[in-house]
Amino acid sequence: MQTARERLNFIDALRGLVIVLMALDHVSHFFNPLPFNSLDLAHTSGPIFMTRWITHLCAPIFIFLAGTSAWLYGQSVSKAQLSRFLLTRGAWLVFLEVTFINLSWANIFGGVVVLQVMWALGISMMILAGLIHLPRYWLIGIAVLAIFGHDAFNGWHAKDLGNWGGIWAMLHERHFFKLTDNGGIFLLYPLLPWFAVMAAGYAFGPVMQLPAAVREKRLLLCGAALLLLMLVLRWPNLYGEVVPWAEQSRGSWFSLLSFINFSKYPPSLLYLCITLGLGAWLLAAMARLPEARLKLFLVFGRVPMFFYL
């Protein structure tokens, strides 16, 4: 069995890979301004589409691994200590989101506070601080129900729910909360199902301590199961995505792009299936590599918040 440090290496390396992909997305946003959405199949090209699409891996994998890392850290401290750590770290991330991070985007956001991935990460940590005290099967049940069931409520909208609209928007819908004539809060990352993704990562933590061969098999099987589920649900446009795929007049390549074009805000079930499925395969691949081959990504993966900021 590998040592704890070796086990953490491939997790850190995957975290580093997705944080580098995040940088690709942000650089593209600032230095390659387009008059159309990169995912707009009527105007985009294949390379432009994929440059944006590949960055979809970032948030789901990063938040899932945050849950896994919390479980690993929890093996050396008490549940109470882990809860305090998750609460304080989560609150700190939310604070950074509404201060430093928003100020750094001020030339784009203006007077609007935008709640993005750090908000989702921080609040998910704070929720996980409570969930870790539940029996493991309860935690798994909550995570699975939220991830697989939230798309059943895609027809619910904040504007139709009266006084409950604000609460629903925080849970499941992008929403602008107007506070002044010139400013407000734009919620880009609603909490469903992000907190469940982190809880799933926490529940998956014990797999990281299995012997290498067993762990690799579990990762490959889990990845294959998620990707197969995505294909089964996506082909007939059955469930799990608000935007159906369709054959494109621009050719079969663009039809394929339509097939894998999933909703991120909030992340649909199929979005999570393809990103976490590929993430499981990437984790299995990186676990096979020696540390020397991972050094580039380890540089970023061990200090992801510093690099992000």
Side-chain angles (χ1 to χ4, degrees):
M1 183 180 292
Q2 292 177 307
T3 66
R5 183 66 259 167
E6 288 172 329
R7 284 197 301 271
L8 286 174
N9 278 340
F10 64 86
I11 294 175
D12 286 341
L14 182 54
R15 188 183 289 117
L17 172 62
V18 298
I19 205 76
V20 168
L21 290 176
M22 176 277 302
L24 170 67
D25 185 38
H26 287 196
V27 169
S28 176
H29 180 82
F30 279 104
F31 295 100
N32 187 29
L34 298 170
F36 55 84
N37 187 316
S38 300
L39 302 177
D40 183 352
L41 294 176
H43 299 95
T44 194
S45 67
I48 290 175
F49 179 98
M50 292 307 300
T51 299
R52 169 58 178 161
W53 187 91
I54 194 65
T55 65
H56 283 345
L57 296 170
C58 301
I61 292 177
F62 198 89
I63 291 178
F64 184 90
L65 291 180
T68 302
S69 297
W71 189 89
L72 291 169
Y73 177 66
Q75 302 315 292
S76 60
V77 299
S78 68
K79 283 279 183 72
Q81 289 174 311
L82 179 58
S83 279
R84 285 195 296 271
F85 172 80
L86 290 169
L87 282 171
T88 54
R89 176 60 63 91
W92 174 239
L93 292 179
V94 173
F95 174 77
L96 286 174
E97 180 77 276
V98 301
T99 55
F100 181 87
I101 294 172
N102 268 269
L103 287 173
S104 71
W105 289 82
N107 63 317
I108 294 177
F109 294 162
V112 176
V113 174
V114 181
L115 302 179
Q116 302 184 85
V117 67
M118 283 294 182
W119 145 270
L121 190 63
I123 295 296
S124 295
M125 282 184 174
M126 298 171 77
I127 295 173
L128 184 61
L131 291 178
I132 65 172
H133 296 283
L134 296 175
R136 188 163 178 264
Y137 62 86
W138 273 93
L139 185 147
I140 293 173
I142 290 171
V144 170
L145 183 62
I147 291 172
F148 283 79
H150 79 98
D151 281 299
F153 300 94
N154 287 337
W156 293 26
H157 301 289
K159 62 183 177 61
D160 302 323
L161 297 176
N163 294 334
W164 294 96
I167 296 175
W168 179 247
M170 291 185 67
L171 288 174
H172 197 252
E173 191 172 33
R174 285 190 296 178
H175 192 73
F176 178 67
F177 298 88
K178 186 175 181 179
L179 301 179
T180 67
D181 290 339
N182 299 316
I185 299 173
F186 181 51
L187 180 65
L188 185 61
Y189 276 71
L191 296 179
L192 275 172
W194 289 119
F195 82 88
V197 172
M198 185 177 289
Y202 181 87
F204 199 75
V207 174
M208 297 299 103
Q209 292 192 318
L210 294 173
V214 179
R215 181 190 61 228
E216 179 178 317
K217 184 177 180 180
R218 297 277 180 90
L219 286 169
L220 292 176
L221 285 175
C222 286
L226 288 172
L227 293 172
L228 179 61
L229 177 63
M230 181 274 295
L231 291 172
V232 169
L233 294 178
R234 185 58 162 169
W235 184 258
N237 287 316
L238 187 62
Y239 176 77
E241 172 56 46
V242 68
V243 179
W245 80 281
E247 292 188 15
Q248 301 294 304
S249 60
R250 299 179 68 185
S252 57
W253 169 244
F254 285 90
S255 296
L256 174 61
L257 297 184
S258 174
F259 189 86
I260 63 172
N261 191 17
F262 301 122
S263 303
K264 182 179 180 180
Y265 307 107
S268 67
L269 168 62
L270 301 190
Y271 173 97
L272 293 176
C273 281
I274 195 169
T275 53
L276 293 179
L278 293 175
W281 284 359
L282 285 170
L283 199 59
M286 286 188 162
R288 277 179 162 260
L289 297 175
E291 182 175 351
R293 300 283 296 276
L294 301 174
K295 280 186 176 180
L296 173 65
F297 296 124
L298 287 173
V299 169
F300 300 102
R302 288 175 178 166
V303 288
M305 187 169 71
F306 174 81
F307 180 64
Y308 183 86
L309 295 177

